[in-house]
Amino acid sequence: MIELKNVTKKYNDITALKNFSLQIPEGILQVLLGPSGCGKSTVIKLINHLIEPTSGEIYINNKNINEFNLINLRRGIGYVIQSIGLFPHYNVYENIVIVPRLLKWTKNDIDRRVDYLLDLVGLNRNYKKKYPFELSGGEGQRVGVARALAADPPILLMDEPFGSVDPLNRERLQKEFYRIQRELKKTVLFVTHDVEEAIRLADNIAVMKPGQLASLGSPWDFVTDDKEDYVKEFLGSEYTLKLLTRFMVQDILVQEKIKSKGYIHGFQVKKENTLSSALSLMISKGIDSLEVIDEQEKIVGSITFEDILKNVFRDTRK
Amino acid sequence: MKKIKQPFFIVTALLFAFFLISILRFDIIENVLVLLVKPKSFFLARVSLVEIAKQHIFIVIISSSLSIIIALTIAILTRFPFMSDFEEFLLGLATFGQTIPTVAILALLVPFLGYGFKPALFALFVYGFLPVLRNTIEGFNTIPEEIRESARAMGMNRFQIITRVELPLALPAILAGIRISLILNISVATIGATVGLSGFGTLIVNGIRGDDTIMILKGAIPVSLLALAVESLFIILEKRFRLSAISE
Amino acid sequence: MPDSGKKISILGAFILILSFLLLSFAEYRPNRVLSGTNIGARELFGSGCFLLIFLSILIIFLIITNHKGHKLIITVTSLLIMGLVLYLFGIAIEKETFNIIPNGRISLGIGFWAIFLGMEMVMSGCFKGDKKCILYRRVFYTILFLMVFVFLLSGHLNNLSIMKEFFNRSNTFFRQIRRHFSLSLFSVIAGLIIGIPIGVLIYKERKMKSTILFLINLGQTIPTLSLLGIIMVPLSLLSQQNKFLKDMGISGVGFTPAFIVLVIYALFPVVHNTIAGLKMIDYELLETAAGLGMKNNTIFWKIQLPLSLPIILGGIRIAITQSIGNTILAGLIGGGGLGSIIFLGLAQAAPDLILLGVIPLIAMAFLMDSVISFLIFYYKKRYLGLAE
């Protein structure tokens, strides 16, 4: 568990963070969402002690971070930033094994770990000998994630990790990272300014305004109207629609064929598409139901507008 | 490692070979020159070019090794917090120092250190020192802050960051600094003849004073070849490390 | 003042104090070439020495108390120290305290160079992190130079050995300065006339780039003196065989070979920076210009040249400071310039004569460096809107 208590950070005359408090329970993916320059990155750098708070305390597992050995603290926290953080003079293998080597793991353990990590992040094992400049943005980012996970740290800090990747690859990376996090149950603090990214990944979202926490809750909590104007404005009026990108068609799939009411019009959607794309198709074709197909293009069920209404927002509408 | 094109090696080897021939068998070149230049009078001095080459190379090696070691040490020290405040000052000093003409420094040192080896050694040291210092500090500075931050965040200590990340990445810049320093030193050691340092410059200066073209060329040809050979050797080295830093 | 500059400034001020306490500020010699005895600041300046030390301590105090307005006071105090040193020095060598015999010589001691270093450190720390740092420091040094100049003109320092050397050869001195300056300036201008077209050509025809740059770099690699020697040989041959050239004044010694060597040396920075400047321009900008219907010629004169000018000027700056230094060698082959004074000093073992040649040389290099730096600064700010 990570806990920040009344943390203030000043750079000369500028206050980057003011009385900031946040608790991140174990195994949770916490997204820190806010416009650029609001102090998001400051929060991350405070946790792995790259910078010192002006006042306030930071605890990891109820132990003040000042009581940790600085080097050990950092080796126990994975850190991912935009792809430039890879060392250009090390190849993929060497980049991943930095921390295990610093921790003096045996060669065998390291090799096994690298293979495991490359599989985990979905990179071919023959990438080991490649250098960062030979990788695409998305591949570089996968290596970045693998490097952060190398020594199996319980905590991951990610500062706009997919910021420099093109939209298509970003979506793919987000999906895979979501899967990895759910599989490994790491405690993650993920910083971004992209609302959709926050929705896709977060267990919890903390919205920041300059230097301060504006609002905190699960992605569903932000659908309600009781948030302050700043938060509503930042999230945008289409927040609810964006929330649909978090779900895939298969999440709310009704396992039966379309029965009556003249539904048979032949418009189909893949089951791993997002709900927002399903909705978009419905609107564009002027219909309220779709057939759902799987990878083999076999019809596996159907989805209706009502299903979306009922299932996605049932928790929020009380 | 990507291969460096063969012509580079051939040119470098040829330059070194020509340099050796020029100091060992200058009489061959001399015979050709006498035909070409038809000097009015020339003095076939029994000077051993090998001896002169030894003296010239000796002072360059001594002063350059001193300046490289000290400049690298100081530049590396500026990476530590207690010295980091001096980085900008040193960089400014190095830039300013390089605008002061070499002969001026040599001449200025004579009143303090006398004629001959001592002022030359000191001037060579200073001029070798500045480019290495400057290039090393600038090489460190061009490393993106994100890389340094990643290294810190992974739990590398200051020493590990310097040896494993900063030095390898700055290596091409450092080598360029050493090359500039060596070439400059070969040149200053030649000019050193004007304050009484013996080397190839002595032949050139004496040749100019005695209007003896052969003697001028006897100094000028070998020292030019030496400078060119060292330059091309270092260009190969720089390419080698620039490549390996990125794509080995 | 940012905290990071404090250490340097304080160290600089300590160097000032230590030089006043320990180092020699004057050297007295019974005649021109004999080695002499050193005189420290306390003996030379008397009670004025304590005032100087007090001012240095004041600087340390101002640095430690760390207030924004203190920068100006520190600068003024530093200038005051320099002025006081020069003033007290003049008074000291006028008094006959040191029994200066008619042929005796008083010259500057190592303490002067040490307080220059100390001053540079104080200033460097003082303006560290300031955006206009370079500008402020250049202004400081300009005032410093002017101050020294005024003291020299006023006759206050006439008893100084270097001034005696100056009066011995005042008419040749100014002639040599003019000659030195015009030789370096014209060689750089010639370097520009040849170098900029080469740079543009290489930028357009990239195939030849490595070959031409390699050849130009050769000229830089070969030691200056050696290149001078090599150039002299064919020139003297030509002038021996060709009467016309000889009548033109072209020969193996003197002006011509020096000029050629200087031009070769000026080429590299000019060509290099011309290419760098042109390369730096965004390709899209050129496409836009072409899209607006500009001709290639217009694009070059209206867009490429103005935008790359700061970097080309940077090349000129390097070329001219280098050229001023290398022009010394002209003195070796009868080409004149300050080199002839320096080499005469070396030959006669007269340190003050050497100094008489070297000081205007460094001042000239520094002045040209400042002038072009200022041009770049002004041009960027006024025409390109870049504040730096």
mmCIF file of all heavy atoms in Angstrom, chain C residues 242-267:
data_model
loop_
_atom_site.group_PDB
_atom_site.id
_atom_site.type_symbol
_atom_site.label_atom_id
_atom_site.label_comp_id
_atom_site.label_asym_id
_atom_site.label_seq_id
_atom_site.Cartn_x
_atom_site.Cartn_y
_atom_site.Cartn_z
ATOM 1 N N ASN C 242 58.978 33.320 -62.215
ATOM 2 C CA ASN C 242 58.047 34.188 -62.914
ATOM 3 C C ASN C 242 58.267 35.635 -62.505
ATOM 4 O O ASN C 242 58.001 36.020 -61.377
ATOM 5 C CB ASN C 242 56.617 33.739 -62.566
ATOM 6 C CG ASN C 242 55.597 34.400 -63.470
ATOM 7 O OD1 ASN C 242 55.757 35.567 -63.829
ATOM 8 N ND2 ASN C 242 54.575 33.655 -63.828
ATOM 9 N N LYS C 243 58.762 36.429 -63.444
ATOM 10 C CA LYS C 243 59.106 37.803 -63.127
ATOM 11 C C LYS C 243 57.872 38.606 -62.713
ATOM 12 O O LYS C 243 57.918 39.414 -61.796
ATOM 13 C CB LYS C 243 59.782 38.453 -64.347
ATOM 14 C CG LYS C 243 60.343 39.825 -64.105
ATOM 15 C CD LYS C 243 61.839 39.815 -64.307
ATOM 16 C CE LYS C 243 62.518 41.130 -63.897
ATOM 17 N NZ LYS C 243 61.668 42.211 -63.529
ATOM 18 N N PHE C 244 56.779 38.325 -63.414
ATOM 19 C CA PHE C 244 55.544 39.086 -63.163
ATOM 20 C C PHE C 244 55.087 38.945 -61.705
ATOM 21 O O PHE C 244 54.793 39.925 -61.033
ATOM 22 C CB PHE C 244 54.448 38.596 -64.115
ATOM 23 C CG PHE C 244 53.116 39.223 -63.856
ATOM 24 C CD1 PHE C 244 52.913 40.584 -64.113
ATOM 25 C CD2 PHE C 244 52.058 38.480 -63.348
ATOM 26 C CE1 PHE C 244 51.682 41.171 -63.887
ATOM 27 C CE2 PHE C 244 50.834 39.070 -63.106
ATOM 28 C CZ PHE C 244 50.644 40.408 -63.384
ATOM 29 N N LEU C 245 55.077 37.684 -61.245
ATOM 30 C CA LEU C 245 54.654 37.444 -59.864
ATOM 31 C C LEU C 245 55.572 38.158 -58.888
ATOM 32 O O LEU C 245 55.146 38.724 -57.892
ATOM 33 C CB LEU C 245 54.631 35.950 -59.564
ATOM 34 C CG LEU C 245 53.485 35.153 -60.195
ATOM 35 C CD1 LEU C 245 53.627 33.675 -59.840
ATOM 36 C CD2 LEU C 245 52.144 35.672 -59.705
ATOM 37 N N LYS C 246 56.857 38.125 -59.212
ATOM 38 C CA LYS C 246 57.825 38.748 -58.330
ATOM 39 C C LYS C 246 57.562 40.251 -58.221
ATOM 40 O O LYS C 246 57.611 40.840 -57.153
ATOM 41 C CB LYS C 246 59.240 38.502 -58.855
ATOM 42 C CG LYS C 246 60.302 38.618 -57.781
ATOM 43 C CD LYS C 246 61.641 38.154 -58.294
ATOM 44 C CE LYS C 246 62.633 38.095 -57.158
ATOM 45 N NZ LYS C 246 63.914 37.542 -57.603
ATOM 46 N N ASP C 247 57.250 40.848 -59.391
ATOM 47 C CA ASP C 247 56.949 42.277 -59.387
ATOM 48 C C ASP C 247 55.677 42.583 -58.608
ATOM 49 O O ASP C 247 55.544 43.640 -58.001
ATOM 50 C CB ASP C 247 56.798 42.786 -60.835
ATOM 51 C CG ASP C 247 58.123 42.707 -61.563
ATOM 52 O OD1 ASP C 247 59.156 42.621 -60.854
ATOM 53 O OD2 ASP C 247 58.135 42.711 -62.811
ATOM 54 N N MET C 248 54.747 41.615 -58.653
ATOM 55 C CA MET C 248 53.503 41.797 -57.900
ATOM 56 C C MET C 248 53.764 41.775 -56.393
ATOM 57 O O MET C 248 52.900 42.106 -55.588
ATOM 58 C CB MET C 248 52.509 40.673 -58.212
ATOM 59 C CG MET C 248 51.934 40.736 -59.594
ATOM 60 S SD MET C 248 50.259 41.358 -59.586
ATOM 61 C CE MET C 248 49.439 40.174 -58.549
ATOM 62 N N GLY C 249 54.944 41.331 -56.012
ATOM 63 C CA GLY C 249 55.255 41.272 -54.580
ATOM 64 C C GLY C 249 54.965 39.913 -53.990
ATOM 65 O O GLY C 249 54.957 39.727 -52.776
ATOM 66 N N ILE C 250 54.678 38.935 -54.864
ATOM 67 C CA ILE C 250 54.410 37.595 -54.353
ATOM 68 C C ILE C 250 55.729 36.843 -54.221
ATOM 69 O O ILE C 250 56.491 36.734 -55.181
ATOM 70 C CB ILE C 250 53.455 36.840 -55.298
ATOM 71 C CG1 ILE C 250 52.078 37.474 -55.188
ATOM 72 C CG2 ILE C 250 53.411 35.369 -54.957
ATOM 73 C CD1 ILE C 250 51.075 36.930 -56.141
ATOM 74 N N SER C 251 56.012 36.389 -53.023
ATOM 75 C CA SER C 251 57.261 35.655 -52.839
ATOM 76 C C SER C 251 57.092 34.647 -51.713
ATOM 77 O O SER C 251 56.028 34.534 -51.121
ATOM 78 C CB SER C 251 58.402 36.625 -52.521
ATOM 79 O OG SER C 251 58.188 37.166 -51.240
ATOM 80 N N GLY C 252 58.150 33.915 -51.470
ATOM 81 C CA GLY C 252 58.097 32.847 -50.479
ATOM 82 C C GLY C 252 58.040 33.340 -49.048
ATOM 83 O O GLY C 252 57.714 32.596 -48.133
ATOM 84 N N VAL C 253 58.369 34.606 -48.836
ATOM 85 C CA VAL C 253 58.290 35.126 -47.472
ATOM 86 C C VAL C 253 57.334 36.305 -47.445
ATOM 87 O O VAL C 253 56.862 36.759 -48.476
ATOM 88 C CB VAL C 253 59.678 35.579 -46.949
ATOM 89 C CG1 VAL C 253 60.569 34.378 -46.722
ATOM 90 C CG2 VAL C 253 60.288 36.570 -47.903
ATOM 91 N N GLY C 254 57.060 36.768 -46.246
ATOM 92 C CA GLY C 254 56.254 37.975 -46.099
ATOM 93 C C GLY C 254 54.773 37.715 -46.135
ATOM 94 O O GLY C 254 54.276 36.698 -45.667
ATOM 95 N N PHE C 255 54.079 38.654 -46.751
ATOM 96 C CA PHE C 255 52.620 38.707 -46.690
ATOM 97 C C PHE C 255 51.935 37.486 -47.317
ATOM 98 O O PHE C 255 51.069 36.863 -46.703
ATOM 99 C CB PHE C 255 52.181 39.998 -47.388
ATOM 100 C CG PHE C 255 50.717 40.097 -47.627
ATOM 101 C CD1 PHE C 255 49.872 40.493 -46.608
ATOM 102 C CD2 PHE C 255 50.182 39.780 -48.872
ATOM 103 C CE1 PHE C 255 48.522 40.578 -46.823
ATOM 104 C CE2 PHE C 255 48.826 39.866 -49.090
ATOM 105 C CZ PHE C 255 47.992 40.272 -48.070
ATOM 106 N N THR C 256 52.337 37.116 -48.568
ATOM 107 C CA THR C 256 51.571 36.134 -49.337
ATOM 108 C C THR C 256 51.385 34.783 -48.649
ATOM 109 O O THR C 256 50.253 34.330 -48.493
ATOM 110 C CB THR C 256 52.183 35.939 -50.728
ATOM 111 O OG1 THR C 256 52.729 37.168 -51.136
ATOM 112 C CG2 THR C 256 51.156 35.462 -51.707
ATOM 113 N N PRO C 257 52.483 34.098 -48.265
ATOM 114 C CA PRO C 257 52.260 32.770 -47.664
ATOM 115 C C PRO C 257 51.426 32.854 -46.389
ATOM 116 O O PRO C 257 50.560 31.996 -46.163
ATOM 117 C CB PRO C 257 53.664 32.262 -47.366
ATOM 118 C CG PRO C 257 54.563 33.421 -47.463
ATOM 119 C CD PRO C 257 53.920 34.409 -48.357
ATOM 120 N N ALA C 258 51.652 33.878 -45.591
ATOM 121 C CA ALA C 258 50.878 34.022 -44.350
ATOM 122 C C ALA C 258 49.404 34.140 -44.682
ATOM 123 O O ALA C 258 48.555 33.481 -44.077
ATOM 124 C CB ALA C 258 51.345 35.259 -43.580
ATOM 125 N N PHE C 259 49.102 34.973 -45.681
ATOM 126 C CA PHE C 259 47.712 35.196 -46.068
ATOM 127 C C PHE C 259 47.059 33.889 -46.520
ATOM 128 O O PHE C 259 45.944 33.556 -46.098
ATOM 129 C CB PHE C 259 47.655 36.245 -47.184
ATOM 130 C CG PHE C 259 46.270 36.647 -47.555
ATOM 131 C CD1 PHE C 259 45.520 37.464 -46.724
ATOM 132 C CD2 PHE C 259 45.700 36.187 -48.737
ATOM 133 C CE1 PHE C 259 44.237 37.833 -47.068
ATOM 134 C CE2 PHE C 259 44.416 36.551 -49.083
ATOM 135 C CZ PHE C 259 43.687 37.387 -48.253
ATOM 136 N N ILE C 260 47.785 33.122 -47.366
ATOM 137 C CA ILE C 260 47.210 31.867 -47.882
ATOM 138 C C ILE C 260 46.904 30.903 -46.734
ATOM 139 O O ILE C 260 45.819 30.327 -46.660
ATOM 140 C CB ILE C 260 48.167 31.222 -48.906
ATOM 141 C CG1 ILE C 260 48.255 32.122 -50.141
ATOM 142 C CG2 ILE C 260 47.669 29.837 -49.302
ATOM 143 C CD1 ILE C 260 49.235 31.644 -51.174
ATOM 144 N N VAL C 261 47.866 30.760 -45.811
ATOM 145 C CA VAL C 261 47.654 29.854 -44.685
ATOM 146 C C VAL C 261 46.436 30.291 -43.864
ATOM 147 O O VAL C 261 45.591 29.483 -43.486
ATOM 148 C CB VAL C 261 48.912 29.801 -43.787
ATOM 149 C CG1 VAL C 261 48.603 29.090 -42.478
ATOM 150 C CG2 VAL C 261 50.028 29.098 -44.515
ATOM 151 N N LEU C 262 46.325 31.599 -43.629
ATOM 152 C CA LEU C 262 45.211 32.102 -42.835
ATOM 153 C C LEU C 262 43.873 31.824 -43.514
ATOM 154 O O LEU C 262 42.896 31.464 -42.867
ATOM 155 C CB LEU C 262 45.368 33.609 -42.585
ATOM 156 C CG LEU C 262 46.504 33.991 -41.642
ATOM 157 C CD1 LEU C 262 46.653 35.495 -41.572
ATOM 158 C CD2 LEU C 262 46.242 33.431 -40.249
ATOM 159 N N VAL C 263 43.849 31.986 -44.846
ATOM 160 C CA VAL C 263 42.602 31.728 -45.570
ATOM 161 C C VAL C 263 42.238 30.246 -45.448
ATOM 162 O O VAL C 263 41.091 29.897 -45.170
ATOM 163 C CB VAL C 263 42.724 32.128 -47.049
ATOM 164 C CG1 VAL C 263 41.479 31.692 -47.813
ATOM 165 C CG2 VAL C 263 42.890 33.629 -47.166
ATOM 166 N N ILE C 264 43.228 29.367 -45.614
ATOM 167 C CA ILE C 264 42.959 27.926 -45.505
ATOM 168 C C ILE C 264 42.385 27.608 -44.128
ATOM 169 O O ILE C 264 41.415 26.858 -43.996
ATOM 170 C CB ILE C 264 44.247 27.112 -45.753
ATOM 171 C CG1 ILE C 264 44.665 27.243 -47.218
ATOM 172 C CG2 ILE C 264 44.035 25.642 -45.398
ATOM 173 C CD1 ILE C 264 45.969 26.577 -47.548
ATOM 174 N N TYR C 265 42.972 28.221 -43.096
ATOM 175 C CA TYR C 265 42.479 27.957 -41.747
ATOM 176 C C TYR C 265 41.085 28.525 -41.520
ATOM 177 O O TYR C 265 40.302 27.986 -40.757
ATOM 178 C CB TYR C 265 43.454 28.507 -40.697
ATOM 179 C CG TYR C 265 44.348 27.427 -40.185
ATOM 180 C CD1 TYR C 265 45.476 27.037 -40.896
ATOM 181 C CD2 TYR C 265 44.038 26.728 -39.026
ATOM 182 C CE1 TYR C 265 46.270 26.016 -40.460
ATOM 183 C CE2 TYR C 265 44.830 25.702 -38.582
ATOM 184 C CZ TYR C 265 45.946 25.352 -39.305
ATOM 185 O OH TYR C 265 46.720 24.321 -38.866
ATOM 186 N N ALA C 266 40.776 29.640 -42.174
ATOM 187 C CA ALA C 266 39.460 30.252 -41.965
ATOM 188 C C ALA C 266 38.363 29.458 -42.672
ATOM 189 O O ALA C 266 37.197 29.524 -42.296
ATOM 190 C CB ALA C 266 39.461 31.702 -42.464
ATOM 191 N N LEU C 267 38.756 28.685 -43.698
ATOM 192 C CA LEU C 267 37.751 27.974 -44.498
ATOM 193 C C LEU C 267 36.911 27.008 -43.679
ATOM 194 O O LEU C 267 35.695 26.977 -43.806
ATOM 195 C CB LEU C 267 38.438 27.194 -45.622
ATOM 196 C CG LEU C 267 38.670 27.941 -46.926
ATOM 197 C CD1 LEU C 267 39.284 27.000 -47.938
ATOM 198 C CD2 LEU C 267 37.356 28.485 -47.454
#
